[in-house]
Amino acid sequence: MTSEHPSHLAASLRRRGWLLSAWPWRALAYLVSTVPIAGVLTVGLLVVGAPLLPVVSTLRRQGRPPSIALMLFLITGSIILVALAPIVSFAVGVVERWRVRLVDNRPLPSSPWPGLAARYRSAATWREVAYLFWLGGFVPVAYWVFLVLVLLDVGMVTSPWLAGDSEPVVIWQPIESTGEAVPYAIVGVLLLPVLCYGVGLLAAGQAAVARWALTSPVDAAALREVARSRTRLVGAYEAERRRIERDLHDGAQPRLTSLTLQLGLARLDVPEDSPAARPLAVAHDQARGLMVMLRQLVHGIRPQTLTDLGLAGAVRELADAAPVAVTVHADIESALPEIVDTTAYFVVSEALSNVARHAGATRAEVRLSRVGGDLVVEVSDDGRGGADPARGTGLTGLADRVAAADGRLLLSSPPGGPTLVRVELPCRR
Amino acid sequence: MSPLTRVVLAEDEVLLREGLVALLTRFDFTVCAAVGSAPDLLEAARAHEPDLVLTDIRMPPGRRDDGLRAAVALRAERPGLPVVVLSQFVQTGYAAALLDSGDGQRVGYLLKDRVAEVTEFVDTLRRVTAGGTAIDPDVVRQLLHRPRDPLAALSAREREVLALLAEGRSNASIAARLHVTEAAVGKHVGNILLKLDLPPSDDTNRRVLAVLTYLRADPVG
């Protein structure tokens, strides 16, 4: 969301010209539509709180204790209502999530009905129940206070007209004449925008509470689960690539080499003028072409340097191929999980090619280290900095790769440099 | 070359190992041992003291660079032991590790594909056994295409000459290849050595230094 179009009421309040925008009206609509819902809930709340009333009155009058039958009746009603609250709160939640759109453009989706038992078990349900009590208990009180203020202001603004009547108008003190009322009227008019902002603040506060109470935390758990399964998937995919690379390298490639060698040997003993010489030469050439092709294919499946040299060696190899001077500090001894190896390799590869393409650097440094359970990869250069993921320097794709491995990528690249890319990859086995 | 060059061969894939044995035997090498893993290679080389070790890089038990490490270890035990390693793909690091072992002479680093060029492959083996150095043209090309300052000073023709030098060719062979006189090649080589005589500043120049090491080591195959 840009600041040009605030996505919700609270954000809009900080903008100039708020009073002239649609927001105050949206806030008002939100408050007004709250009234019937809060009203119904207040009645329910009074029933829940009913058993307290005889107790309170008894204490005040020091009279007879309330009858047992009455108390039992009230308490039963109270318990039944509390027990029904999770069901009521579901319906209210659906309505409230829809209604909050009046002052908030960010969607707040409702989950489908989860079934009765599940409804009573989830923490989100009881958050909604708490919201129910808040909406029926606290909100009406706040509205009354605000309504009193509004009526007071209306009285002040209209006091010059009312003061001429027989009855004196009472604001703080009795006002007898129109002349006395004028200062009150002026203050009243000045307070009008303040009240408008009050409407905005009230609605914004209420919407914030609604958003907090009605956002189901289920989503976060689901996201974590998705991330985990994605990591598993990427890991499995990586292991599969490695297996294919191995099978080709250890099986197909040497056999093809052997075949080509045999053809080469055969050509030595076949005289040039023999009818077999030409097809044999063609076969030999084709086999050689196939060897080159297979070699490129295997390298594309997985960098073989990684398989043979491990991460540190493969990174040194990358550093050697870079057009700027690169120093490598590798402080990793134990073997890393497949996905960490590969991700780290691509991070360094991409970061170094960025250095070559954009940074205008003369030297770069790659650091591999273990910090706690993480592998930390740092690539720094002395270039001009100002690397911006939004400008498509391959950093975004890199971040995606890192995220798939459940890691995170940090970038520091002030204009004028130096640039540092830091990637942290968890090494849980 | 004596007809009795004794070779220890290491290659884990059986078919290729047998093919190499057939090739070597046909060209009058004596294969003392043909093994399939790095420890066996070490054992066989120590037992037979061959004139040449020919080994694959990626071999059991680790299936990484075990063959290469065995070769480097053998060179450390017997400086000057001719070693040719076969690599499935271009890997400058391997070439450097090999060239760094000993004085950079009597070593060969070849792509496995070269095995298919039977006669050239055998020539390379003979050159290394006789004290030369042979680096695969693809590896040399990768080294020369790096925009490193010392190499940037070379003219296109000098690069060509350097590439052929790195393959371990003699001046005469280069002259024939480039259709120039041998004297012209000598002049190019002189210029190259003059231009490249720079102290290496850091680790990143190690590869280039490796090429230089054997370039300075009288490259007359």
Side-chain angles (χ1 to χ4, degrees), chain A residues 269 288 295 310 317 320, chain B residues 26 64 92 117 146 207:
Chain A
D269 298 325
R288 280 188 302 194
R295 178 152 47 106
E317 201 69 30
D320 282 326
Chain B
R26 191 185 183 289
R64 286 168 83 136
T92 52
E117 322 285 340
R146 282 230 217 79
R207 307 283 178 268

Side-chain angles (χ1 to χ4, degrees), chain B residues 5-39:
Chain B
T5 303
R6 300 165 64 255
V7 184
V8 166
L9 164 72
E11 160 64 53
D12 53 321
E13 166 62 29
V14 180
L15 281 179
L16 185 54
R17 188 162 72 223
E18 284 172 1
L20 284 168
V21 170
L23 180 149
L24 290 167
T25 313
R26 191 185 183 289
F27 284 92
D28 298 335
F29 290 82
T30 308
V31 181
C32 323
V35 297
S37 75

Side-chain angles (χ1 to χ4, degrees), chain A residues 160-289:
Chain A
W161 289 272
L162 298 174
D165 296 349
S166 51
E167 294 287 316
V169 180
V170 181
I171 306 289
W172 301 123
Q173 57 209 56
I175 300 167
E176 305 289 351
S177 71
T178 309
E180 277 178 52
V182 169
Y184 285 103
I186 291 172
V187 172
V189 171
L190 289 179
L191 281 177
L192 279 174
V194 176
L195 285 177
C196 285
Y197 268 98
V199 169
L201 282 171
L202 201 58
Q206 196 189 320
V209 172
R211 176 165 278 279
W212 174 83
L214 303 176
T215 303
S216 47
V218 172
D219 296 353
L223 270 181
R224 265 200 304 278
E225 187 45 48
V226 167
R228 262 203 297 273
S229 76
R230 183 179 60 173
T231 308
R232 274 198 302 272
L233 194 65
V234 172
Y237 174 67
E238 214 54 64
E240 193 60 11
R241 278 171 89 99
R242 181 169 185 155
R243 191 188 61 76
I244 295 168
E245 186 265 338
R246 283 229 149 150
D247 288 353
L248 288 173
H249 182 282
D250 297 342
Q253 276 184 305
R255 279 167 188 238
L256 181 57
T257 308
S258 172
L259 169 67
T260 320
L261 168 62
Q262 296 294 350
L263 288 169
L265 280 174
R267 280 182 74 184
L268 293 174
D269 298 325
V270 173
E272 285 290 331
D273 51 1
S274 145
R278 223 192 103 56
L280 193 58
V282 170
H284 190 220
D285 286 346
Q286 286 183 355
R288 280 188 302 194

Side-chain angles (χ1 to χ4, degrees), chain B residues 170-182 185:
Chain B
S170 65
N171 281 11
S173 157
I174 295 172
R177 184 77 176 260
L178 299 177
H179 310 296
V180 294
T181 63
E182 216 173 314
V185 173

Side-chain angles (χ1 to χ4, degrees), chain B residues 36-221:
Chain B
S37 75
D40 291 354
L41 166 62
L42 289 171
E43 202 179 315
R46 284 168 190 150
H48 296 283
E49 299 209 333
D51 306 314
L52 173 70
V53 168
L54 173 61
T55 176
D56 184 10
I57 286 185
R58 186 151 132 182
M59 276 202 305
R63 291 199 168 279
R64 286 168 83 136
D65 55 353
D66 302 54
L68 178 83
R69 276 187 282 132
V72 171
L74 288 172
R75 292 261 303 172
E77 287 168 26
R78 265 185 63 191
L81 166 72
V83 169
V84 173
V85 300
L86 299 177
S87 175
Q88 193 67 261
F89 53 96
V90 174
Q91 184 70 287
T92 52
Y94 291 157
L98 202 61
L99 289 162
D100 286 347
S101 73
D103 54 1
Q105 291 188 48
R106 294 190 174 81
V107 289
Y109 175 94
L110 292 180
L111 284 180
K112 263 193 192 174
D113 297 13
R114 307 294 164 202
V115 171
E117 322 285 340
V118 178
T119 39
E120 285 205 21
F121 177 67
V122 169
D123 279 350
T124 306
L125 295 186
R126 285 181 181 146
R127 270 211 304 271
V128 172
T129 312
T133 302
I135 298 298
D136 195 280
D138 276 13
V139 179
V140 174
R141 210 166 300 133
Q142 191 160 317
L143 290 176
L144 294 188
H145 281 180
R146 282 230 217 79
R148 298 254 187 264
D149 292 346
L151 291 171
L154 299 182
S155 69
R157 175 58 75 156
E158 282 164 352
R159 278 164 180 266
E160 264 179 291
V161 172
L162 178 59
L164 293 167
L165 274 179
E167 285 175 40
R169 290 174 187 278
S170 65
N171 281 11
S173 157
I174 295 172
R177 184 77 176 260
L178 299 177
H179 310 296
V180 294
T181 63
E182 216 173 314
V185 173
K187 208 171 71 188
H188 283 310
V189 173
N191 283 343
I192 291 167
L193 293 177
L194 204 65
K195 284 182 182 177
L196 293 188
D197 195 6
L198 295 164
S201 52
D202 57 20
D203 182 282
T204 50
N205 275 336
R206 211 161 52 104
R207 307 283 178 268
V208 177
L209 177 65
V211 176
L212 300 189
T213 307
Y214 70 82
L215 281 178
R216 291 204 195 91
D218 188 27
V220 184

Side-chain angles (χ1 to χ4, degrees), chain A residues 269-324:
Chain A
D269 298 325
V270 173
E272 285 290 331
D273 51 1
S274 145
R278 223 192 103 56
L280 193 58
V282 170
H284 190 220
D285 286 346
Q286 286 183 355
R288 280 188 302 194
L290 188 55
M291 278 164 73
V292 173
M293 191 173 134
L294 188 59
R295 178 152 47 106
Q296 289 166 344
L297 195 74
V298 173
H299 188 75
I301 290 169
R302 190 168 189 271
Q304 289 185 292
T305 43
L306 206 50
T307 309
D308 288 16
L309 304 181
L311 181 60
V315 163
R316 287 209 174 85
E317 201 69 30
L318 279 174
D320 282 326
V324 294

